[in-house]
Amino acid sequence: VATAAGALAIPVALLFGLVRGRLIATSAMWREMSRISPQAVTPAWVERFLRGTLGDPSFELALWSDERNSFVDVGGGIYDLPSPTTARAVTLIARRGLPSLALVHDIALNEDLEIVQGLGVTAATLLENAMLVGELQASRARIVESVEQERHRLERDLHDGAQQRLTTIQL
């Protein structure tokens, strides 16, 4: 009976440890989410958010730049990914088959690689959505400016053309 209880206790303890680790990571993320105030989503903000959520003070976020054909840091400077060492790990996030982000973190987070990858995909989605919102706002501003210019042009044309005709008729 003791051997059977011991044999059953080991898998239950492992399962409990896995569930506990996921709950701790989830609660850390919710704790971080509850502390943030509404603000613009920038790469620097995402890097700080993931650093706090993962509990890794050395965490760095690298973004793929198509113009430079390499990774850049959150400030826009070229970023050389570290080679895998005993202290640092790199998790690459791809979107639509193309590189999107690189998460440079403590090697200890490799034990919960699914969580790191999930946060990376979420961060990539956040950044992509923020970029699309910015492009949409810029497009709307261009449309409003174009409509305003066209209105002024029509106003001038009506004023100048009608005024000339009325003056000619009056004479």
Side-chain angles (χ1 to χ4, degrees):
V1 172
T3 304
L8 184 62
I10 292 172
V12 169
L14 288 173
L15 178 65
F16 177 74
L18 287 173
V19 170
R20 183 175 167 264
R22 298 207 188 269
L23 287 175
I24 289 172
T26 304
S27 67
M29 187 176 92
W30 282 111
R31 186 173 47 253
E32 289 294 323
M33 291 293 281
S34 68
R35 288 193 296 183
I36 61 173
S37 59
Q39 57 186 324
V41 175
T42 62
W45 178 84
V46 170
E47 182 180 60
R48 286 191 307 272
F49 175 74
L50 291 177
R51 184 178 293 142
T53 301
L54 293 171
D56 181 5
S58 66
F59 176 84
E60 293 176 323
L61 179 66
L63 309 160
W64 180 256
S65 171
D66 288 328
E67 295 88 32
R68 295 184 178 184
N69 202 26
S70 67
F71 284 99
V72 295
D73 61 12
V74 294
I78 297 240
Y79 186 86
D80 293 323
L81 294 178
S83 61
T85 64
T86 57
R88 309 288 287 155
V90 177
T91 302
L92 296 174
I93 305 296
R95 308 239 331 147
R96 296 179 201 95
L98 300 171
S100 178
L101 298 175
L103 310 174
V104 182
H105 54 83
D106 190 295
I107 196 81
L109 291 173
N110 278 349
E111 293 176 12
D112 295 321
L113 200 54
E114 294 94 16
I115 293 172
V116 174
Q117 288 173 335
L119 286 172
V121 169
T122 302
T125 303
L126 266 174
L127 291 171
E128 185 177 354
N129 286 347
M131 180 189 67
L132 291 173
V133 166
E135 288 176 4
L136 178 64
Q137 289 172 340
S139 173
R140 285 182 176 174
R142 285 191 306 271
I143 290 169
V144 167
E145 180 63 29
S146 174
V147 167
E148 189 66 19
Q149 287 176 355
E150 185 64 18
R151 187 182 66 79
H152 283 300
R153 186 189 65 76
L154 287 172
E155 198 174 81
R156 275 192 316 274
D157 288 350
L158 285 174
H159 179 267
D160 294 345
Q163 186 177 13
Q164 293 291 335
R165 287 187 190 132
L166 286 175
T167 306
T168 304
I169 292 172
Q170 202 172 29
L171 287 174

